[in-house]
Amino acid sequence: MKPNTAELQPDNQALLEELYAEMAPKGLLPLWEALANLVTKTPKTPVVSAKWKYGDIRTHLMRAGELISAKQAERRVLVLENPGLQGTHAITSTLYAGLQLILPGEVAPCHRHAQSALRFVMEGSGAFTAIDGEKAMMEKYDLVLTPNWQWHDHGNTTDDPMIWLDGLDIPLVNHFDTSFAETLSGTDAHPESMPPGDTLSRYGKNLRPIRGSQSDRRPKHMPLFHYPYKQWHSSLTDLSNSEAPDPHFGYALEFINPSTGGAIMPTISAHVRLLPKGFETAERRSTDGSVYVVLEGSGSAMIGDVEHMLEEGDFFVVPSWHPVQIKADQDLTLFGYSDRTSQEKLNLFRDLKS
Ligand code: GTQ
């Protein structure tokens, strides 16, 4: 949008152009030529409402598995890049999504980084992510976190491939120019620190070891890292049997960090939701661009003016401030993550329900 220059003398217009040309090499620009595009009345995003199919990604991922090992790749991952963000490896302006494959016998070596990561298991049973040396034995549709700067390696001692969705805040961390990373030297796998399941038992059942006791061994701000499918699915089922669905969300449960009661990690929020067969959500828009996975059932999503048919194994993106309506043809279960908690911390988050 151009500024209101109707009253400018034609000479001034020409002289202004001259001024711009003189200033440009000095890194000086006239705000009035750009203001309306910089400070928009509502969010404008390059992100588009793309969709990927698990079966299709899997074919390419398995081929990559024949060509490069997890160790060689450090992380053997196919990145879901938003078509509106080409060249960025980003799925929304702040978030990253990839599908990671660990084949039987493989190890993805231990490292840690400033980025926070979630894993959402798509396929396989019994492979693990070890966080600070404690294995989370992973089952289909489990959520596992690697909070920022915690050591993590992945391994698979089962006979089958394991594939999960990686959701990270890579674009956000890089936007702040705050990326740090290091590898654990001398070994691929962190020495085992605790038996599998120890943290879930100490911190994942509405209990925690008394503060300051020797049993209170996990980082205070983010102790928990495993949210098993069995637990969240039974809660979601119970919820759906006990009341009518919320008009905008259906039945929805957010994963929380027990030490704050807030989002799972400082930058990423995640939830699961169930839309019962025949249910259609009322239209809603929100500022947090979101990534969804269809876990069970089928239906469709109207995102802005694009309609996507949804079936199990679909990944789709809802860009910031796009109106969304989701319809369930069969009981539809979704996993979703977004930067909502980042936006809330910065007093930026908004939503609008019709
Ligand atoms: O597993 O640590 O998809 O560091 C991208 C960056 C996975 C990981 C990704 C990572 C990881």
Side-chain angles (χ1 to χ4, degrees):
M1 220 200 306
K2 280 275 170 188
N4 181 8
T5 52
E7 289 164 27
L8 274 185
Q9 302 293 327
D11 280 358
N12 281 16
Q13 191 61 57
L15 292 169
L16 278 172
E17 299 290 341
E18 250 177 63
L19 174 65
Y20 302 165
E22 283 166 27
M23 297 191 303
K26 303 178 183 175
L28 290 170
L29 298 168
L31 173 63
W32 56 90
E33 295 286 348
L35 184 57
N37 284 328
L38 293 177
V39 182
T40 60
K41 292 194 166 155
T42 55
K44 297 243 182 325
T45 178
V47 176
V48 299
S49 67
K51 189 179 89 169
W52 293 259
K53 298 196 90 57
Y54 179 66
D56 188 37
I57 307 170
R58 187 186 191 283
T59 304
H60 297 295
L61 191 53
M62 294 308 288
R63 177 67 182 143
E66 293 167 3
L67 302 175
I68 186 168
S69 72
K71 190 174 156 106
Q72 285 167 329
E74 186 165 341
R75 296 294 184 263
R76 190 204 293 111
V77 179
L78 297 188
V79 179
L80 283 62
E81 184 180 69
N82 193 283
L85 298 173
Q86 277 177 22
T88 64
H89 292 76
I91 192 159
T92 70
S93 297
T94 56
L95 296 172
Y96 159 104
L99 283 189
Q100 177 157 186
L101 167 66
I102 309 277
L103 288 168
E106 285 194 319
V107 176
C110 197
H111 70 191
R112 62 179 177 177
H113 38 68
Q115 290 80 2
S116 299
L118 63 80
R119 330 279 169 194
F120 198 83
V121 179
M122 299 300 298
E123 178 179 330
S125 169
F128 65 85
T129 288
I131 291 95
D132 287 337
E134 181 191 332
K135 289 175 180 153
M137 309 307 290
M138 294 155 96
E139 298 298 325
K140 188 171 171 181
Y141 295 164
D142 280 8
L143 172 68
V144 173
L145 311 181
T146 54
N148 69 343
W149 212 244
Q150 298 190 11
W151 291 111
H152 53 285
D153 50 84
H154 313 298
N156 185 354
T157 53
T158 76
D159 295 330
D160 297 307
M162 180 151 241
I163 298 176
W164 61 71
L165 168 72
D166 285 324
L168 287 89
D169 54 7
I170 293 174
L172 182 67
V173 170
N174 288 342
H175 183 73
F176 287 125
D177 294 336
T178 46
S179 180
F180 290 91
E182 61 188 32
T183 49
L184 190 62
S185 63
T187 174
D188 282 344
H190 194 290
E192 188 147 16
S193 58
M194 279 288 160
D198 183 84
T199 289
L200 198 54
S201 179
R202 288 190 204 201
Y203 296 90
K205 297 183 172 169
N206 264 331
L207 293 164
R208 71 169 182 225
I210 286 279
R211 277 275 157 78
S213 70
Q214 66 173 18
S215 332
D216 186 21
R217 54 176 196 82
R218 290 283 305 153
K220 191 167 130 193
H221 62 291
M222 231 169 340
L224 194 60
F225 53 74
H226 194 179
Y227 302 75
Y229 168 77
K230 260 195 200 141
Q231 291 182 7
W232 69 252
H233 193 261
S234 98
S235 292
L236 197 58
T237 305
D238 289 349
L239 179 65
S240 73
N241 287 330
S242 67
E243 61 183 36
D246 176 272
H248 296 90
F249 295 99
Y251 301 103
L253 290 171
E254 184 182 1
F255 295 99
I256 61 163
N257 174 350
S259 77
T260 63
I264 41 171
M265 292 185 288
T267 51
I268 303 179
S269 305
H271 73 277
V272 279
R273 72 170 86 180
L274 169 63
L275 310 185
K277 177 179 175 173
F279 181 75
E280 181 171 8
T281 64
E283 190 179 288
R284 174 178 178 264
R285 54 175 84 197
S286 63
T287 49
D288 58 330
S290 306
V291 181
Y292 289 95
V293 191
V294 180
L295 308 181
E296 292 158 349
S298 61
S300 58
M302 193 70 195
I303 305 170
D305 48 19
V306 182
E307 186 177 32
H308 293 286
M309 300 313 290
L310 301 180
E311 54 180 39
E312 191 177 319
D314 287 349
F315 299 81
F316 66 98
V317 177
V318 176
S320 170
W321 216 238
H322 281 44
V324 188
Q325 269 188 292
I326 305 177
K327 201 167 115 195
D329 296 336
Q330 297 297 329
D331 282 3
L332 185 66
T333 310
L334 304 175
F335 168 75
Y337 68 102
S338 82
D339 61 4
R340 176 174 176 155
T341 186
S342 305
Q343 296 192 4
E344 285 171 341
K345 290 180 175 89
L346 300 173
N347 269 340
L348 294 171
F349 178 78
R350 287 202 202 193
D351 67 352
L352 185 66
K353 294 172 183 161
S354 61

